Amino acid sequence: MSARPRLRRAENGSVMGGEPKKPRAKRVRSEMKSTGYEIFIGILSILSIVNLVLVLVLREESLDTVLGAMNALFSLIFLIDFTYRIFTAPSASTYFFRHFGWADLLASLPFAQLKILRIFRLIRVWRLLREVGVKAVAHTLIKDRAGSALYMLLLMGILVLQFGSLTILYFEQNAEGANITTAGDALWYTMVTISTVGYGDQYPVTPLGRLCGTIIIVVGVGIFGTFTGYLATVFLTPKPTDAEPVADEGKPLSAESVDALRARLTEMEAKMAEIRKMLS
């Protein structure tokens, strides 16, 4: 009867004598998300507050229609942002009650009276970025070029959707033979053009309107091209856990490692001496 050696388990749960299990890296939750994302949300907050001022100051039906559609888009983005933050916050209750999460929720609702609460979102983004520092923010944006470019082009697309619709409507609505005469027509033309679909049912007839349409087309192609490249980067880049571990060059060697290296060096010198004797 053969005796099987008993395998002891180490404190970390791995079996002695076998390969130790690699501990899984625990993902640390932080209030601050990626730098590009925080800047993106901060600029959208500023734009939504500017739109609120424009609606109150300028009483025009076409402007109200375009800004109303943009406010609906902002409300959807801010609602997604609130959901993302409350599920990834270190403490959901702390975020909701002490870090103005309740203001984020109310400001994401499509009610004009609650839009002013979006200033709390802007204050929090400013505080988080100030704690990190300007140099760290710039370094992070340069390091994560793919994500930063994606957020920048998404922001550019939102800006073009709003101001492009207002500009194309300004140039076309009173032109002879124009077919873009209402805010709905301008929004539809800008959306179709920026998505590079181009049905052709709405088109500018003035030189300045066509110039504006050209800019919208270029921005749309840039957005979808960058988005495609970003997806390729996400799916093709190996995860940190899949990569082989890199030795820490700055970490000093232990006494056991030094002794093992010395023994190995002595053994190699002895073999080299034997080879010299054989050659001589």
Side-chain angles (χ1 to χ4, degrees):
M1 179 176 178
S2 60
R4 296 181 179 177
R6 295 182 178 179
L7 299 178
R8 295 179 301 162
R9 293 186 176 272
E11 293 179 359
N12 60 357
S14 60
V15 180
M16 297 293 292
E19 295 183 356
K21 295 181 179 179
K22 296 181 179 180
R24 294 182 179 179
K26 187 177 181 180
R27 189 175 182 180
V28 180
R29 291 187 175 185
S30 174
E31 182 182 356
M32 180 176 177
K33 312 311 174 188
S34 66
T35 304
Y37 178 79
E38 294 289 358
I39 295 176
F40 174 73
I41 292 297
I43 295 177
L44 285 189
S45 302
I46 296 175
L47 183 58
S48 64
I49 295 173
V50 170
N51 290 348
L52 175 61
V53 175
L54 290 178
V55 170
L56 295 177
V57 174
L58 302 177
R59 299 290 184 175
E60 188 177 349
E61 183 179 357
S62 59
L63 181 66
D64 292 344
T65 302
V66 174
L67 296 186
M70 297 306 300
N71 177 60
L73 176 61
F74 292 158
S75 298
L76 178 61
I77 294 175
F78 290 149
L79 183 60
I80 295 174
D81 174 68
F82 167 77
T83 306
Y84 171 55
R85 289 183 186 276
I86 199 169
F87 279 104
T88 58
S91 174
S93 59
T94 301
Y95 161 70
F96 188 83
F97 294 105
R98 298 183 59 184
H99 294 167
F100 307 112
W102 57 270
D104 291 345
L105 177 60
L106 294 177
S108 62
L109 301 179
F111 299 113
Q113 298 81 0
L114 301 176
K115 293 178 187 177
I116 194 61
L117 293 176
R118 293 174 182 175
I119 195 171
F120 289 102
R121 187 188 303 269
L122 180 61
I123 292 173
R124 185 184 59 254
V125 171
W126 169 255
R127 176 177 59 82
L128 293 174
L129 294 178
R130 186 181 61 180
E131 291 177 357
V132 173
V134 178
K135 292 184 178 180
V137 170
H139 176 73
T140 305
L141 291 177
I142 294 174
K143 185 178 180 181
D144 185 20
R145 291 186 295 272
S148 301
L150 177 65
Y151 287 123
M152 182 183 68
L153 285 178
L154 286 177
L155 178 62
M156 189 179 297
I158 292 175
L159 292 175
V160 169
L161 179 61
Q162 174 174 322
F163 294 104
S165 299
L166 294 174
T167 304
I168 201 76
L169 181 62
Y170 176 78
F171 290 142
E172 294 291 319
Q173 62 180 349
N174 296 322
E176 183 179 356
N179 55 71
I180 303 176
T181 56
T182 64
D185 294 339
L187 281 170
W188 172 251
Y189 168 76
T190 306
M191 179 63 70
V192 169
T193 305
I194 204 172
S195 61
T196 66
V197 175
Y199 287 114
D201 53 346
Q202 306 287 343
Y203 54 89
V205 296
T206 63
L208 291 178
R210 290 173 178 172
L211 176 62
C212 181
T214 302
I215 296 174
I216 295 173
I217 293 173
V218 172
V219 173
V221 172
I223 290 175
F224 283 92
T226 304
F227 183 69
T228 303
Y230 178 78
L231 289 180
T233 302
V234 170
F235 286 107
L236 297 180
T237 302
K239 297 181 180 179
T241 54
D242 298 335
E244 295 182 357
V246 180
D248 190 357
E249 297 178 356
K251 185 177 180 181
L253 295 175
S254 61
E256 293 80 3
S257 300
V258 173
D259 294 338
L261 288 174
R262 286 177 179 174
R264 184 67 175 172
L265 181 59
T266 303
E267 183 181 354
M268 291 178 63
E269 289 177 351
K271 290 182 178 180
M272 290 296 296
E274 292 180 1
I275 294 174
R276 290 193 189 99
K277 290 180 179 180
M278 292 174 63
L279 293 175
S280 61

